Amino acid sequence: MDYLLIEGARPLKGDIEISGSKNAALPMLMASILSKKISHFTNLPRLSDVDFALKILIELGGNVRMIREHNSISAYIEFDDKANCVAPYELVRKMRASISVLGPLLARYGKVKVSLPGGCAIGARPVDLHIMVMEKLGAKITIEDGYIIAEADKLKANDIVFPFVSVGATQAAMMTACVADGTSVIRNVSMEPETVELGNMLNSMGAKIEGLGTETLTIKGLNSKTLPGSDNPIHILPDRIEAGTYAIAAAATRGKVNIKNSIPKHLDILLYNLKESGVNILQTDNGFTVDATRLDNIKPIDIVTAPYPGFPTDLQAQWMAYMSVACGSCTITEKIFENRFIHIGELFRLGARVKHSANVATVYGVKKLTGAPVMATDLRASASLIIGALIAEGTTEIHRVYHIDRGYERIDEKLKNVGAKVTRLREV
Ligand code: UD1
């Protein structure tokens, strides 16, 4: 197992190129099941989660060809009239995003068996809304031996109102309603850029989805098992969470970093909060620059996580690492997942002072953090430990970095390019 050694207390300076978005890529790859034509993806990030998604598609019977480049992957994916419509526990357990095969497989092949994912480090993460969507669209659902079995000869349009915003369930509804018989109106949907991009992809393949990026989607189903498909390559948009993580790292180390190939609009609330904390943000031709070189005291800023355009839950842990050296105290409220504070214990090992009760953490800023051995527990928690390590005086060992490799492409290389002292080592 790899671990990272980071010698901290150095400002990050230079350029960081942002990779394709993991959270956009995973459901988009799964949506290729619906296409009559070969789907050609470009700018897929080189991440273990993307390798895993491609592996799942192969297991399901897809014909997958991938080309690895230094900073991205291209893939060609084709499904024909036969598939193996079972996503077993071993696969779904390792990557929850696998649940997004449910809708496309059901639509195209009429019967599917997908393992229930189970809980994960950040919470119970139920899939009841995914099941509700399938039932509303005419599927018969049985839960048996830890599996969801969904059957439908024909999917029928329906109106759906989500009780709260779910990214995954919105995407499941889009991927299924787009081939159902009739028009579905779906309310209180996810407006995340990754959801909009999935909608754009489905539309380019022939779907008729209106209202992308708003609270209501109107989907005219094609009354067919597949979408016609497209000859145009599907380019994965830049990863806003990766960009946000490096932006926070630049601020936390009082550095100056050009975040290249990114879309600042997707990070409005983060950039607003960074500015409020005292950092300069400048928009550039293909991204933005974070300049914290003249930042003496970091102003503490409260955040509350919320669906887009609110503060992303995927940047909450990183914000906490930054606020741990702010000049005063602030609160961090986690509204999406009930158990997303596991990083507190590890940040504590670096000298941070954080107390939490239920879903509210109070961060009492300290003057400095100091290096220590710490353990990554999930993807974004690991990113907060990296930021903590970059701030800390001395050396931090971060174990279980496989968590970070799921979602940050070549993180050690990218950090080294901006002056961080990072070494990747292998435990014996
Ligand atoms: C969520 C985040 C997404 C983030 C991803 C990985 C939101 C709204 N979603 O997406 O930004 O990138 O995690 O960290 O910020 N839920 C149910 N039943 C369901 C589905 C979800 O109760 O069937 C609940 C979840 O437990 C959670 C909330 O709904 O409390 C939002 O979850 P959802 O958006 O579906 O999760 P992801 O798609 O994983």
Side-chain angles (χ1 to χ4, degrees), residues 22-23 96 122-131 164-171 190 192 194 240-241 305-308 311-314 334-338 340 380:
K22 170 180 90 75
N23 288 348
R96 296 185 53 86
I122 62 175
R125 303 188 78 176
V127 289
D128 54 321
L129 296 180
H130 295 246
I131 293 172
F164 47 83
V165 173
S166 158
V167 173
T170 301
Q171 296 179 345
S190 141
E192 268 70 4
E194 297 78 16
R240 65 190 167 106
I241 304 301
T305 64
Y308 187 84
F311 195 97
T313 174
D314 281 350
E334 173 55 58
K335 291 253 184 161
I336 308 292
F337 293 112
E338 69 276 16
R340 210 173 195 179
R380 307 304 170 185

Side-chain angles (χ1 to χ4, degrees), residues 5-8 10 12 390 395 415-416 418-423:
L5 272 190
I6 300 186
E7 282 177 50
R10 287 156 211 275
L12 301 183
L390 291 168
T395 305
L415 285 174
K416 273 189 221 162
V418 288
K421 277 201 122 185
V422 185
T423 320

Side-chain angles (χ1 to χ4, degrees), residues 107-108 154-155 176 178-181 221-228:
R108 183 156 188 172
K154 191 173 184 153
L155 292 165
T176 320
C178 68
V179 287
D181 181 9
L222 299 193
N223 189 17
S224 147
K225 294 201 173 300
T226 53
L227 293 174

Side-chain angles (χ1 to χ4, degrees), residues 16-260:
I16 296 184
E17 194 81 40
I18 299 306
S19 303
S21 160
K22 170 180 90 75
N23 288 348
L26 300 179
M28 286 166 77
L29 286 169
M30 305 310 183
S32 66
I33 294 172
L34 286 170
S35 176
K36 263 260 186 238
K37 288 187 177 166
I38 298 175
S39 305
H40 173 200
F41 292 90
T42 58
N43 200 39
L44 288 163
R46 283 188 53 179
L47 297 172
S48 55
D49 267 12
V50 168
D51 291 341
F52 197 70
L54 294 171
K55 198 173 140 199
I56 289 172
L57 292 171
I58 293 169
E59 294 252 342
L60 294 174
N63 185 0
V64 175
R65 187 159 71 86
M66 78 169 145
I67 303 153
R68 283 178 180 280
E69 282 141 43
H70 175 65
N71 53 4
S72 66
I73 300 174
S74 299
Y76 295 86
I77 301 169
E78 186 182 20
F79 274 78
D80 60 26
D81 290 338
K82 278 209 194 92
N84 161 33
C85 293
V86 181
Y89 180 56
E90 297 77 73
L91 293 182
V92 183
R93 171 177 70 87
K94 287 194 190 136
M95 195 179 73
R96 296 185 53 86
S98 326
I99 189 78
S100 53
V101 300
L102 183 64
L105 285 178
L106 174 67
R108 183 156 188 172
Y109 302 104
K111 182 166 181 185
V112 54
K113 189 172 165 188
V114 177
S115 170
L116 284 160
C120 83
I122 62 175
R125 303 188 78 176
V127 289
D128 54 321
L129 296 180
H130 295 246
I131 293 172
M132 182 264 269
V133 162
M134 300 303 142
E135 280 180 331
K136 285 259 181 198
L137 294 174
K140 179 173 157 264
I141 302 280
T142 2
I143 307 287
E144 224 173 76
D145 307 328
Y147 279 81
I148 307 168
I149 300 165
E151 291 169 79
D153 288 339
K154 191 173 184 153
L155 292 165
K156 290 210 174 64
N158 206 339
D159 291 349
I160 301 175
V161 183
F162 286 118
F164 47 83
V165 173
S166 158
V167 173
T170 301
Q171 296 179 345
M174 284 161 59
M175 289 192 275
T176 320
C178 68
V179 287
D181 181 9
T183 299
S184 302
V185 178
I186 306 177
R187 291 177 215 277
N188 199 20
V189 298
S190 141
M191 300 189 282
E192 268 70 4
E194 297 78 16
T195 303
V196 173
E197 206 58 4
L198 172 68
N200 290 335
M201 169 184 166
L202 293 169
N203 281 345
S204 77
M205 288 173 9
K208 294 193 168 69
I209 306 175
E210 281 173 18
L212 290 166
T214 72
E215 282 163 13
T216 304
L217 297 175
T218 304
I219 305 179
K220 284 192 191 126
L222 299 193
N223 189 17
S224 147
K225 294 201 173 300
T226 53
L227 293 174
S230 163
D231 295 322
N232 297 328
I234 303 148
H235 190 81
I236 303 295
L237 86 169
D239 194 315
R240 65 190 167 106
I241 304 301
E242 188 196 18
T245 301
Y246 289 124
I248 297 172
T253 59
R254 267 96 159 162
K256 182 174 178 185
V257 175
N258 302 313
I259 312 282
K260 297 176 92 172

